[in-house]
Amino acid sequence: MAGEKQKVAIIGSGNWGSAIAKIAGINTARHTDLFEKEVNMYVYEEKIDGQNLTDIINKQHQNKKYLPEVRLPENVIAMPSAQEAAKDATLLIFVLPHQFILNTCKALDGQLAANAQAISMIKGVDVNDSKIKIFADVIQDALKIPCAALSGANIANEVARDKFSETTVGYRPGGRDAAEVWFKLFNTPNFRVGLIEDVAGVSLCGALKNIVAIGAGFCDGLGWGDNSKAAIMRIGILEMKNFAQEFFDDVKPQTFTETSAGIADLITTCFGGRNRKCAEAFVKTGKPFSELEAELLNGQKLQGTETSREVYQFLKSRKRVDAYPLFHTIYRIAYEGLEPAKLTADL
């Protein structure tokens, strides 16, 4: 990747996709020796106040649905087609809800630059019976291009408003040079990027912490206080690490304890994320998660419940459910009608 200008495409445009587009747009304009200035962003077309969302972004430089009141750089160009956005791109940033990844990759297959690289910012896992994959591997296998991963304590609205935060890029063995390019694309004085050779660990932290955040939200809804939430978080990160090291190769334990992708992201998600918010409302209102997602998230997807279901199905197929009692209990509360007050009964 060294020695050539990189062309950036962002595949996704929710609040996190738009926040990362702001950073990428600023850095491509700042490092014109490394990057082409223009950043394409794939935007699922929809009408906002009678106007196409892509037109609003390109004329007003705001994503009025998913990231209102934050100005995007003028070199971020919204496009209604993933294929058009990705044309000739050498750096592809995937930041879609994980339900849409496979179809998007199929649409892009065979249409990318020969030297393209990707990075996954997707919080989820792909489960097929007794098999499980992180989405960085799904993307890499589908498109036949190297794919890194980025995750961290990154609530999108705070990042977009330039409040200080950190993130972590997980790269593959032999991929340090590519990781340095991602570093230059994302690092700013207030968005600090760390690097670690651990794509699986970074990806799994981003996925599994959302399950734990559901448990933290149950605590809040029950009014149990900070001691209880701290216990759920401690047990949660232990189950996250054990799960990652049991089912994936070469996961580094320090990813969970020393990076923004690990303990820092777990903390922020359990205190400020959408999964916590919806889980608290689930306890207080008795409404199903599907209804709360529609009411509270403004079109964004609730990731923790779906990941909980997928992880449960995987563990059941491997006969390992009992080894992960917190994951199991959160699944039972979300899907099987177990009383939220039973959250700690089997821990």
Coordinates of all heavy atoms in Angstrom, one line a residue, residues 66-109:
Y66 N -29.3 10.6 10.8 CA -28.5 9.8 11.7 C -27.5 10.5 12.5 O -27.0 10.1 13.6 CB -27.9 8.6 11.0 CG -28.9 7.7 10.4 CD1 -29.0 7.5 9.0 CD2 -29.7 6.9 11.2 CE1 -29.9 6.7 8.4 CE2 -30.6 6.0 10.6 CZ -30.7 5.9 9.3 OH -31.6 5.0 8.7
L67 N -27.1 11.7 12.0 CA -26.1 12.5 12.8 C -26.5 14.0 12.6 O -25.7 14.7 12.0 CB -24.7 12.2 12.3 CG -23.6 12.6 13.2 CD1 -23.6 11.9 14.6 CD2 -22.2 12.5 12.5
P68 N -27.6 14.4 13.1 CA -28.0 15.8 12.9 C -27.1 16.8 13.6 O -26.5 16.4 14.6 CB -29.4 15.9 13.4 CG -29.5 14.7 14.4 CD -28.6 13.7 13.9
E69 N -27.0 18.0 13.1 CA -26.3 19.1 13.7 C -24.8 18.9 13.7 O -24.1 19.7 14.4 CB -26.8 19.4 15.1 CG -28.3 19.7 15.2 CD -28.8 19.9 16.6 OE1 -28.0 19.9 17.5 OE2 -30.0 20.1 16.7
V70 N -24.3 17.9 13.0 CA -22.8 17.8 12.8 C -22.5 18.0 11.4 O -23.1 17.3 10.5 CB -22.4 16.4 13.3 CG1 -20.9 16.2 12.9 CG2 -22.6 16.2 14.8
R71 N -21.6 18.9 11.1 CA -21.3 19.2 9.7 C -20.2 18.2 9.2 O -19.2 18.0 9.9 CB -20.7 20.6 9.6 CG -20.4 21.0 8.1 CD -20.1 22.5 8.0 NE -19.8 22.9 6.6 CZ -20.7 23.1 5.7 NH1 -22.0 23.1 6.0 NH2 -20.3 23.4 4.4
L72 N -20.5 17.7 8.1 CA -19.5 16.8 7.4 C -18.6 17.6 6.5 O -19.1 18.6 5.9 CB -20.2 15.7 6.6 CG -21.2 14.8 7.4 CD1 -21.9 13.8 6.5 CD2 -20.4 14.0 8.5
P73 N -17.4 17.1 6.3 CA -16.5 17.8 5.3 C -17.1 17.8 3.9 O -17.8 16.8 3.5 CB -15.2 17.0 5.4 CG -15.3 16.3 6.7 CD -16.7 16.0 7.0
E74 N -16.8 18.8 3.2 CA -17.4 18.9 1.8 C -16.8 17.9 0.9 O -17.4 17.6 -0.2 CB -17.2 20.3 1.3 CG -18.0 21.4 2.0 CD -17.9 22.8 1.4 OE1 -17.4 22.9 0.3 OE2 -18.4 23.7 2.1
N75 N -15.7 17.3 1.2 CA -15.1 16.3 0.3 C -15.7 14.9 0.6 O -15.3 13.9 0.0 CB -13.6 16.2 0.5 CG -13.1 16.0 1.9 OD1 -13.7 16.5 2.8 ND2 -12.1 15.1 2.0
V76 N -16.7 14.8 1.5 CA -17.4 13.5 1.7 C -18.6 13.5 0.8 O -19.5 14.4 0.9 CB -17.9 13.3 3.2 CG1 -18.8 12.1 3.3 CG2 -16.7 13.2 4.1
I77 N -18.7 12.6 -0.1 CA -19.7 12.6 -1.2 C -20.6 11.4 -1.0 O -20.2 10.2 -1.0 CB -19.1 12.5 -2.6 CG1 -18.0 13.5 -2.8 CG2 -20.2 12.6 -3.7 CD1 -18.5 14.9 -2.6
A78 N -21.9 11.6 -0.7 CA -22.9 10.6 -0.5 C -23.3 10.0 -1.9 O -23.6 10.7 -2.8 CB -24.1 11.1 0.2
M79 N -23.4 8.7 -1.9 CA -23.9 8.0 -3.1 C -24.9 6.9 -2.8 O -24.7 6.2 -1.8 CB -22.7 7.3 -3.8 CG -21.6 8.3 -4.3 SD -20.3 7.5 -5.2 CE -19.4 8.9 -5.8
P80 N -25.9 6.7 -3.5 CA -27.0 5.8 -3.2 C -26.7 4.3 -3.6 O -27.5 3.4 -3.4 CB -28.2 6.3 -4.0 CG -27.6 7.0 -5.2 CD -26.3 7.6 -4.7
S81 N -25.5 4.1 -4.2 CA -25.1 2.8 -4.7 C -23.8 2.4 -4.0 O -22.8 3.1 -4.1 CB -25.0 2.8 -6.2 OG -24.3 1.6 -6.6
A82 N -23.8 1.2 -3.4 CA -22.5 0.7 -2.8 C -21.5 0.5 -3.9 O -20.3 0.8 -3.7 CB -22.8 -0.6 -2.1
Q83 N -21.9 0.0 -5.1 CA -21.0 -0.3 -6.2 C -20.4 1.0 -6.7 O -19.2 1.1 -6.9 CB -21.7 -1.0 -7.3 CG -22.2 -2.4 -7.0 CD -23.7 -2.4 -6.6 OE1 -24.1 -1.5 -5.9 NE2 -24.4 -3.4 -7.1
E84 N -21.2 2.0 -6.8 CA -20.7 3.3 -7.3 C -19.7 3.9 -6.2 O -18.6 4.4 -6.6 CB -21.8 4.3 -7.5 CG -21.4 5.6 -8.0 CD -22.6 6.6 -8.2 OE1 -23.7 6.2 -7.8 OE2 -22.3 7.7 -8.7
A85 N -20.1 3.8 -5.0 CA -19.2 4.4 -3.9 C -17.8 3.7 -3.9 O -16.8 4.3 -3.6 CB -19.9 4.3 -2.6
A86 N -17.8 2.4 -4.1 CA -16.6 1.6 -4.0 C -15.8 1.5 -5.2 O -14.7 1.0 -5.2 CB -17.0 0.1 -3.5
K87 N -16.3 2.1 -6.3 CA -15.5 2.0 -7.6 C -14.1 2.6 -7.4 O -14.0 3.7 -7.0 CB -16.3 2.7 -8.7 CG -15.7 2.6 -10.1 CD -16.5 3.3 -11.1 CE -15.8 3.2 -12.5 NZ -16.6 3.9 -13.5
D88 N -13.1 1.8 -7.8 CA -11.7 2.2 -7.8 C -11.2 2.5 -6.4 O -10.0 3.0 -6.2 CB -11.5 3.5 -8.6 CG -11.8 3.2 -10.1 OD1 -11.6 2.1 -10.6 OD2 -12.4 4.2 -10.7
A89 N -11.9 2.2 -5.3 CA -11.4 2.5 -4.0 C -10.4 1.4 -3.6 O -10.5 0.3 -3.9 CB -12.6 2.4 -3.0
T90 N -9.4 1.9 -2.9 CA -8.3 1.0 -2.3 C -8.5 0.8 -0.9 O -7.9 -0.2 -0.3 CB -6.9 1.5 -2.6 OG1 -6.8 2.9 -2.1 CG2 -6.7 1.6 -4.1
L91 N -9.2 1.6 -0.2 CA -9.5 1.5 1.3 C -11.0 1.5 1.5 O -11.7 2.5 1.3 CB -8.9 2.7 2.0 CG -7.4 2.8 2.0 CD1 -6.9 4.0 2.7 CD2 -6.7 1.6 2.6
L92 N -11.6 0.4 1.8 CA -13.0 0.3 2.0 C -13.3 0.1 3.5 O -12.8 -0.8 4.2 CB -13.6 -0.9 1.3 CG -13.6 -0.8 -0.2 CD1 -12.5 -1.6 -0.8 CD2 -14.9 -1.2 -0.8
I93 N -14.2 1.0 4.0 CA -14.5 1.0 5.4 C -16.0 0.4 5.5 O -16.9 1.1 5.1 CB -14.5 2.4 6.0 CG1 -13.1 3.0 5.9 CG2 -14.9 2.4 7.5 CD1 -13.0 4.5 6.1
F94 N -16.1 -0.7 6.1 CA -17.5 -1.3 6.3 C -18.0 -1.0 7.6 O -17.5 -1.4 8.7 CB -17.4 -2.9 6.1 CG -17.2 -3.3 4.7 CD1 -15.9 -3.4 4.1 CD2 -18.3 -3.6 3.9 CE1 -15.8 -3.8 2.8 CE2 -18.2 -4.0 2.6 CZ -16.9 -4.1 2.0
V95 N -19.2 -0.3 7.6 CA -19.8 0.2 8.8 C -21.3 0.1 8.7 O -22.1 1.0 9.0 CB -19.3 1.6 9.3 CG1 -19.6 2.6 8.2 CG2 -19.8 2.0 10.6
L96 N -21.7 -1.1 8.2 CA -23.2 -1.4 8.1 C -23.6 -2.3 9.2 O -22.9 -3.0 9.9 CB -23.4 -2.2 6.8 CG -23.2 -1.6 5.4 CD1 -23.1 -2.7 4.4 CD2 -24.3 -0.6 5.1
P97 N -25.0 -2.3 9.5 CA -25.5 -3.3 10.4 C -25.1 -4.7 9.8 O -25.2 -4.9 8.6 CB -27.0 -3.1 10.4 CG -27.1 -1.6 10.0 CD -26.0 -1.3 9.1
H98 N -24.8 -5.6 10.7 CA -24.2 -6.9 10.2 C -25.2 -7.7 9.4 O -24.8 -8.6 8.6 CB -23.6 -7.7 11.3 CG -24.6 -8.3 12.3 ND1 -25.0 -7.6 13.4 CD2 -25.2 -9.5 12.3 CE1 -25.8 -8.4 14.1 NE2 -25.9 -9.6 13.5
Q99 N -26.5 -7.4 9.5 CA -27.5 -8.1 8.7 C -27.4 -7.9 7.2 O -27.8 -8.7 6.4 CB -28.9 -7.7 9.2 CG -29.3 -8.0 10.6 CD -29.0 -6.9 11.6 OE1 -28.0 -6.1 11.4 NE2 -29.8 -6.7 12.5
F100 N -26.7 -6.8 6.8 CA -26.6 -6.5 5.4 C -25.3 -6.7 4.8 O -25.1 -6.5 3.6 CB -27.0 -5.0 5.3 CG -28.3 -4.6 5.9 CD1 -28.3 -3.5 6.8 CD2 -29.4 -5.2 5.6 CE1 -29.5 -3.1 7.4 CE2 -30.6 -4.8 6.2 CZ -30.7 -3.8 7.1
I101 N -24.4 -7.3 5.5 CA -23.0 -7.4 5.0 C -22.9 -8.4 3.8 O -22.3 -8.1 2.8 CB -22.1 -7.8 6.1 CG1 -21.8 -6.6 7.0 CG2 -20.7 -8.4 5.6 CD1 -21.1 -5.5 6.3
L102 N -23.5 -9.6 4.0 CA -23.3 -10.6 2.9 C -23.9 -10.1 1.6 O -23.2 -10.3 0.5 CB -24.0 -11.9 3.3 CG -23.3 -12.7 4.4 CD1 -24.1 -13.9 4.8 CD2 -21.9 -13.2 3.9
N103 N -25.0 -9.5 1.6 CA -25.6 -9.1 0.3 C -24.8 -7.9 -0.3 O -24.6 -7.8 -1.5 CB -27.1 -8.6 0.5 CG -28.0 -9.8 0.6 OD1 -27.7 -10.9 0.2 ND2 -29.2 -9.6 1.2
T104 N -24.3 -7.1 0.6 CA -23.4 -6.0 0.1 C -22.1 -6.5 -0.5 O -21.7 -6.0 -1.6 CB -23.1 -5.0 1.2 OG1 -24.4 -4.5 1.8 CG2 -22.3 -3.8 0.7
C105 N -21.5 -7.4 0.2 CA -20.3 -8.0 -0.4 C -20.5 -8.7 -1.7 O -19.7 -8.6 -2.7 CB -19.7 -9.0 0.6 SG -18.9 -8.3 2.0
K106 N -21.7 -9.4 -1.9 CA -22.0 -10.0 -3.2 C -22.1 -8.9 -4.3 O -21.7 -9.2 -5.4 CB -23.3 -10.8 -3.0 CG -23.2 -12.1 -2.2 CD -24.6 -12.7 -2.1 CE -24.5 -14.0 -1.2 NZ -25.8 -14.6 -1.0
A107 N -22.7 -7.8 -3.9 CA -22.8 -6.7 -4.9 C -21.5 -6.1 -5.3 O -21.3 -5.6 -6.4 CB -23.7 -5.6 -4.3
L108 N -20.5 -6.2 -4.4 CA -19.2 -5.6 -4.6 C -18.2 -6.6 -5.2 O -17.2 -6.1 -5.8 CB -18.6 -5.0 -3.4 CG -19.4 -3.8 -2.7 CD1 -18.7 -3.4 -1.4 CD2 -19.6 -2.7 -3.6
D109 N -18.5 -7.8 -5.1 CA -17.5 -8.9 -5.5 C -17.1 -8.7 -7.0 O -18.0 -8.6 -7.9 CB -18.1 -10.3 -5.3 CG -17.1 -11.4 -5.5 OD1 -15.9 -11.1 -5.4 OD2 -17.5 -12.5 -5.8

